[in-house]
Amino acid sequence: EAQVTQNPRYLITVTGKKLTVTCSQNMNHEYMSWYRQDPGLGLRQIYYSMNVEVTDKGDVPEGYKVSRKEKRNFPLILESPSPNQTSLYFCARITRPQHFGDGTRLSIL
Amino acid sequence: GDSVTQMEGPVTLSEEAFLTINCTYTATGYPSLFWYVQYPGEGLQLLLKATKADDKGSNKGFEATYRKETTSFHLEKGSVQVSDSAVYFCALSGTSGSRLTFGEGTQLTVNP
């Protein structure tokens, strides 16, 4: 069964303290993506990756970094988090139809 | 660029009522269209999809028809249940397949 696993599920932290949200998939898929979900805005794509070492910006990449050193993992990095990055984040396998992880709720104080 | 517009919510219905959630889109070419559902505390699950004009997607009693002439993909269900309470997202995927463009989401609450 295809799985996309995110960690942590919940995190409360403070402004400026670097954090990483991990994402792993078990189907050797090439295409992966990160989204954030905000009330009234739906989901917006942050970054996506078509293969190892191949990443590209989505609609709202500012303040985020990603890494794709191996096919299985696609971490989202917030080097200096700010309160406007408080949101619900989803990692997804892009292949149609897209398959989403269970989400990570970040609160930046 | 691509965009998706959903009807304003939230929507509150009584059990066994008829449901319609409107969705219209703007896109170049021939996108694929999707409805996703998000139950409380969970991620998104694909509910149904349609990949070309006049296709009808259906699942769990929900239906939506890809109408290219009206650029719409409205979600319908003849008789909702309390267990259908969730947030519903309309989305499209362009020809590149590298992203989904989502609507704002519609919160549905079904009361017994």
Side-chain angles (χ1 to χ4, degrees), chain A residues 9 31 35 37 40-43 45 48 50 57-59 88 90 94 96-98 100-102, chain B residues 32 34 36 38 41-44 46 49 89 93-100 102-105:
Chain A
R9 291 294 310 278
Y31 301 174
Y35 292 87
Q37 180 182 352
L41 297 175
L43 280 80
Q45 191 181 51
Y48 64 97
M50 307 298 265
K57 297 177 180 178
D59 298 317
L88 178 59
F90 290 99
I94 292 181
R96 295 183 187 182
Q98 301 206 3
F100 290 82
D102 287 335
Chain B
S32 294
F34 305 89
Y36 282 85
Q38 184 180 36
E42 298 184 13
L44 276 74
L46 178 66
K49 65 176 181 177
F89 291 93
S93 176
T95 50
S96 73
S98 65
R99 68 168 65 183
L100 279 171
F102 285 87
E104 304 89 343

Side-chain angles (χ1 to χ4, degrees), chain A:
Chain A
E1 180 188 348
Q3 282 191 320
V4 177
T5 304
Q6 299 177 226
N7 279 296
R9 291 294 310 278
Y10 304 91
L11 178 63
I12 301 173
T13 188
V14 296
T15 298
K17 185 176 181 181
K18 180 180 178 179
L19 67 91
T20 300
V21 184
T22 64
C23 171
S24 65
Q25 49 103 353
N26 64 351
M27 296 298 289
N28 205 36
H29 289 291
E30 293 174 340
Y31 301 174
M32 300 291 291
S33 181
W34 276 102
Y35 292 87
R36 60 178 288 174
Q37 180 182 352
D38 300 290
L41 297 175
L43 280 80
R44 294 175 293 169
Q45 191 181 51
I46 302 171
Y47 268 94
Y48 64 97
S49 171
M50 307 298 265
N51 211 331
V52 174
E53 303 292 0
V54 180
T55 63
D56 208 347
K57 297 177 180 178
D59 298 317
V60 288
E62 294 77 19
Y64 304 94
K65 287 173 57 178
V66 292
S67 167
R68 192 82 186 278
K69 292 185 172 61
E70 53 188 338
K71 196 174 285 186
R72 176 182 176 84
N73 296 316
F74 188 46
L76 179 70
I77 304 156
L78 285 70
E79 293 272 4
S80 182
S82 62
N84 65 11
Q85 293 177 299
T86 293
S87 188
L88 178 59
Y89 291 85
F90 290 99
C91 183
R93 183 196 77 205
I94 292 181
T95 47
R96 295 183 187 182
Q98 301 206 3
H99 183 88
F100 290 82
D102 287 335
T104 295
R105 187 166 291 282
L106 288 183
S107 294
I108 316 296
L109 305 178

Side-chain angles (χ1 to χ4, degrees), chain B residues 33-80:
Chain B
L33 302 174
F34 305 89
W35 277 100
Y36 282 85
V37 59
Q38 184 180 36
Y39 298 103
E42 298 184 13
L44 276 74
Q45 301 175 25
L46 178 66
L47 181 60
L48 54 85
K49 65 176 181 177
T51 58
K52 60 183 188 296
D54 300 325
D55 267 3
K56 178 185 282 189
S58 62
N59 186 25
K60 298 181 182 179
F62 291 89
E63 293 183 342
T65 301
Y66 189 153
R67 300 284 189 203
K68 190 163 179 62
E69 64 275 12
T70 55
T71 62
S72 65
F73 193 54
H74 305 321
L75 182 69
E76 297 182 336
K77 186 175 186 182
S79 177
V80 294

Side-chain angles (χ1 to χ4, degrees), chain B residues 5 24 27 34 40 44 57 81 84 94:
Chain B
T5 303
T24 57
F34 305 89
L44 276 74
Q81 306 300 312
D84 293 327

